[in-house]
Amino acid sequence: MVVDGGGTIDSFRRLEEDSTLTRAMKASDVRRRLPGKASADASEQNSPEEGAKARLGDKPTTQSVSWTPIFLLLLASKVLSAFLNIIHDCDETYNYWEPLHYLIHGYGLQTWEYSAEFGLRSYLYLLLHAVIAFPASLLFGDGPGKVYTFLAVRLGLAILSALSEAWLAVAASRWMKSRSLGWLTALLLAGGSGTFTASTSFLPSTFSMYGLTASAAALLSNRPATAVALAAAGVTLGWPFSILATVPIVLFALFTGGFWKVFAAGAVALLGTLVPSALIDRFFYGTWQVSLWNIVRYNAGGGGDSHLYGVEPASFYLRNLVNNFNLALPLALVAPVMILLTRKPGYGRLLVGIAPLYLWLGAMSCLPHKEERFLYIVYPLLCLAAAASLAFLPDILRHPILRRLIQAVQTSLVILTLLLSASRTASLLINYSAPFPIYRHLASPAELAHARAMMSARHAAEVTRSGLMSGDQTAEVAHSEYLLRHAHSLSPAHIAYPPERAAVCVGAEWYRSPGSFFLPSSEHRLAFLDEGFGGLLPFPFNGTAGGTRARPGYFNDRNRASPGQFLSDQSRCDYRVDFRRKGEGGRDDDDLWEVVAERPFLDAAKSPALSRAFYVPGWSAAKNKFGTYRLSRRKR
């Protein structure tokens, strides 16, 4: 079968020339009516292509926004997210924060994807964050200051997010010569609940979001080669499946920006990221691994059956987008119609810039396994599309009276959207933020002193009872020798919880733990209790068996629980974190524990959907039901 590539190229060029010619014709009409302005912009008298190149770089005009206020607005909102945002997905904790903690501090939890047998995760992606985490750890240490290393990484993500989103807002404003488009985009990006959540999440989909956002900005800045290079980097350094979302931008750039020049830029970006990724994975996994290929092969080859990790209906993403973007969602969905109705100069390239939103949303909705984080990559483009609908609304009705009415509607929609977004963000923080302060309580002086006294008192007795000591060996030497002799046969409990460690135990609440960065010392370890979860949980990285190069037999790729993943002897637990519903009866061993900290936490099962999704002072508290999130310590 022969594909008519020339027809595709001509189609893209016609779309570009049509929008550029429309801009030139409107500008020419303005000059005819305003003779004094005839020579104000010489580029308008050139051919459409030459006019576009001269006019549509990064130079600001009186009709566009300036960079500094937009960037500062977005940076302020992202920094707020860095300090206040919760962890929304356990994958963020166990697939990214925990391995990063292991690289920086020498201990942490490992998921099956990081086993050298499977090699699904990229260590290059982790090292990009270690660039911030490692110097921060030198500054803040291996104790309670680890939480500041956590915040330092988040602040780095906040800056990347602010840079990419500010570029998008400014580039769209300059391309369309619309101050309102730039400011509306920035306001929705800064105030949107979805962007608040996604912008500082330590996830590959967030990194791909940065890449796609910057790629769309580069396209609107008339930099097609840069657009393709950024799209390629976002795919290879972030989430490989996001390649689908980049297709409209890449094809448009290839066929309108000089095919071979743009192709070369994309190829250099691919090689410049894939080669270091393969070399770094070779070092950490100990064998030649291409994690990018491994994860694609696993999912495409049937190993990643959706039912293993949950199946959601087709409406799942639309419901989540309503919660996170409220009125901005319908505005974004009708944006192509609004853009085509107004046909403002440059509309063709703007349509291409937001096209990934619709392609990605449609494709992801068709897959059975759905997670909110999968949509992160198009969140900024959703804000741009919604802003375009709002900005172009007054141009549909040109009668002076109707225009004033439409402008009033426009302002009302913006205010209501931002208020609903703030309500959604407040709901998430008020209802679900308890784990952060609960785990941070472990670092209080009283708890640190208690942990040291408790470990000191039981150390010699427990080591002697375990039969590890012989002669005049110290406990630490005996334990180390024992691990070396039996590294491949020991259960994770022997490796992670020797007598000198304080075990912080979680059962049903394992997926809400913020991880080892919130444990206050190298003597504290997270341990799992069997409270009914039937899937595979992380295990401690086993340094004595090879660390990142190990192929532990307790891992599998079918999400089957491993016998050793739970701490069988619950008397080894020094602390326990759990959630208690209001009116729920006590546990049999409650008399062995004393509560040292607790915070209210939403009981979602007993709370109405609307009041738990959006926070309204007074009303939400009256409607919602709360339990308590608890930190308890074992009585001496």
Side-chain angles (χ1 to χ4, degrees):
M1 180 177 67
V2 179
V3 179
D4 184 7
T8 304
I9 296 175
D10 289 343
S11 298
F12 278 110
R13 285 178 176 164
R14 280 197 297 271
L15 178 61
E16 174 74 348
E17 290 173 1
D18 180 43
S19 61
T20 308
L21 184 59
T22 302
R23 181 194 290 268
M25 291 173 63
K26 290 191 176 184
S28 177
D29 181 60
V30 170
R31 285 195 300 274
R32 285 197 298 271
R33 289 185 278 109
L34 300 172
K37 300 290 185 180
S39 61
D41 190 352
S43 68
E44 295 289 357
Q45 300 175 21
N46 300 332
S47 68
E49 183 177 359
E50 292 171 346
K53 290 180 179 178
R55 186 176 60 249
L56 301 171
D58 286 335
K59 296 180 180 179
T61 71
T62 57
Q63 296 171 292
S64 63
V65 297
S66 59
W67 167 269
T68 303
I70 295 293
F71 173 70
L72 291 178
L73 171 66
L74 288 166
L75 181 63
S77 71
K78 307 309 175 187
V79 169
L80 198 63
S81 172
F83 281 95
L84 298 180
N85 194 17
I86 62 176
I87 292 179
H88 299 262
D89 193 305
C90 62
D91 258 18
E92 182 179 355
T93 296
Y94 296 115
N95 267 325
Y96 305 103
W97 286 114
E98 283 296 315
L100 180 64
H101 189 277
Y102 177 75
L103 295 181
I104 301 300
H105 295 288
Y107 62 97
L109 294 173
Q110 178 186 28
T111 62
W112 70 269
E113 293 100 321
Y114 282 94
S115 167
E117 180 181 354
F118 304 106
L120 264 63
R121 301 297 180 187
S122 167
Y123 276 96
L124 174 58
Y125 176 70
L126 293 179
L127 291 182
L128 292 175
H129 299 76
V131 169
I132 298 174
F134 182 72
S137 70
L138 296 178
L139 178 63
F140 299 119
D142 191 34
K146 289 190 298 180
V147 71
Y148 298 113
T149 301
F150 175 93
L151 290 174
V153 173
R154 274 198 165 182
L155 286 172
L157 297 176
I159 293 171
L160 280 178
S161 179
L163 286 170
S164 63
E165 292 178 11
W167 188 11
L168 179 68
V170 172
S173 175
R174 292 175 182 174
W175 176 261
M176 300 303 298
K177 290 190 173 181
S178 171
R179 290 179 61 84
S180 62
L181 177 60
W183 275 112
L184 287 169
T185 302
L187 286 171
L188 293 177
L189 287 167
S193 183
T195 49
F196 179 91
T197 296
S199 60
T200 56
S201 293
F202 184 7
L203 290 166
S205 52
T206 291
F207 203 89
S208 292
M209 178 186 78
Y210 303 152
L212 183 63
T213 302
S215 177
L219 187 74
L220 292 172
S221 301
N222 200 33
R223 298 181 177 185
T226 303
V228 171
L230 288 168
V235 169
T236 54
L237 296 177
W239 197 33
F241 303 103
S242 66
I243 190 172
L244 177 63
T246 69
V247 168
I249 292 175
V250 170
L251 289 180
F252 186 86
L254 283 170
F255 295 140
T256 62
F259 184 91
W260 291 112
K261 176 184 176 182
V262 173
F263 179 84
V268 169
L270 282 174
L271 290 175
T273 50
L274 283 176
V275 171
S277 179
L279 292 173
I280 290 170
D281 284 343
R282 170 66 179 85
F283 173 80
F284 282 100
Y285 285 121
T287 58
W288 284 109
Q289 302 266 14
V290 181
S291 55
L292 196 72
W293 165 246
N294 289 345
I295 193 170
V296 171
R297 181 181 59 182
Y298 171 76
N299 284 275
D305 292 337
S306 296
H307 71 272
L308 296 177
Y309 307 98
V311 175
E312 300 290 345
S315 60
F316 174 82
Y317 286 130
L318 288 177
R319 295 199 310 270
N320 275 274
L321 290 174
V322 167
N323 284 341
N324 289 321
F325 292 99
N326 53 83
L327 298 179
L329 175 61
L331 288 169
L333 294 178
V334 301
V337 176
M338 298 290 289
I339 293 171
L340 290 171
L341 283 175
T342 56
R343 295 178 69 87
K344 294 174 73 70
Y347 76 93
R349 192 173 291 229
L350 180 61
L351 279 173
V352 175
I354 63 174
L357 166 64
Y358 312 104
L359 176 62
W360 188 251
L361 178 58
M364 290 296 100
S365 296
C366 293
L367 298 178
H369 177 57
K370 300 176 179 67
E371 296 186 39
E372 183 181 339
R373 61 191 168 96
F374 293 171
L375 284 195
Y376 285 2
I377 63 172
V378 292
Y379 276 3
L381 299 186
L382 186 151
C383 293
L384 173 60
S389 289
L390 286 169
F392 301 158
L393 193 60
D395 294 305
I396 293 180
L397 300 172
R398 298 184 179 276
H399 191 281
I401 296 178
L402 292 177
R403 279 176 65 87
R404 283 194 291 271
L405 176 62
I406 291 296
Q407 287 171 347
V409 171
Q410 179 190 49
T411 303
S412 300
L413 286 173
V414 173
I415 294 173
L416 187 55
T417 299
L418 293 177
L419 285 175
L420 287 171
S421 294
S423 174
R424 170 63 176 174
T425 302
S427 174
L428 292 172
L429 298 181
I430 291 170
N431 294 337
Y432 301 106
S433 63
F436 276 23
I438 286 295
Y439 278 86
R440 292 194 69 172
H441 190 81
L442 287 165
S444 66
E447 291 312 314
L448 287 175
H450 175 84
R452 284 193 294 268
M454 179 173 52
M455 288 184 289
S456 177
R458 76 180 185 193
H459 181 75
E462 290 203 6
V463 173
T464 302
R465 188 176 66 225
S466 299
L468 300 181
M469 293 179 66
S470 61
D472 57 357
Q473 282 183 311
T474 65
E476 289 82 358
V477 170
H479 187 76
S480 298
E481 291 183 356
Y482 183 79
L483 291 181
L484 288 172
R485 288 197 307 269
H486 303 281
H488 294 277
S489 59
L490 284 175
S491 74
H494 286 91
I495 299 165
Y497 317 114
E500 66 272 18
R501 304 294 186 228
V504 181
C505 295
V506 289
E509 292 299 305
W510 66 270
Y511 62 97
R512 290 196 177 106
S513 170
S516 296
F517 277 99
F518 284 76
L519 300 182
S521 76
S522 58
E523 282 75 38
H524 291 74
R525 294 290 193 271
L526 196 66
F528 301 115
L529 301 178
D530 187 358
E531 293 187 354
F533 179 69
L536 180 64
L537 288 172
F539 285 74
F541 275 96
N542 188 344
T544 58
T548 62
R549 301 185 176 194
R551 295 170 174 258
Y554 42 74
F555 281 135
N556 65 81
D557 63 354
R558 305 304 297 172
N559 197 28
R560 291 192 298 264
S562 182
Q565 68 186 24
F566 298 114
L567 189 61
S568 57
D569 182 6
Q570 295 193 21
S571 67
R572 297 291 306 278
C573 295
D574 302 299
Y575 290 92
R576 184 174 70 187
V577 177
D578 64 349
F579 172 62
R580 297 294 180 93
R581 290 180 169 83
K582 190 174 182 180
E584 184 179 50
R587 300 185 179 184
D588 294 339
D589 62 345
D590 277 352
D591 59 329
L592 302 177
W593 299 89
E594 56 182 331
V595 177
V596 295
E598 58 184 357
R599 294 286 189 280
F601 193 86
L602 183 75
D603 189 345
K606 297 181 179 179
S607 302
L610 188 60
S611 61
R612 72 172 184 257
F614 297 94
Y615 174 74
V616 178
W619 176 74
S620 295
K623 291 287 186 180
N624 290 338
K625 304 298 181 185
F626 286 83
T628 56
Y629 215 81
R630 293 181 177 181
L631 172 67
S632 305
R633 69 184 178 194
R634 184 177 294 278
K635 296 178 182 178
R636 295 190 190 182

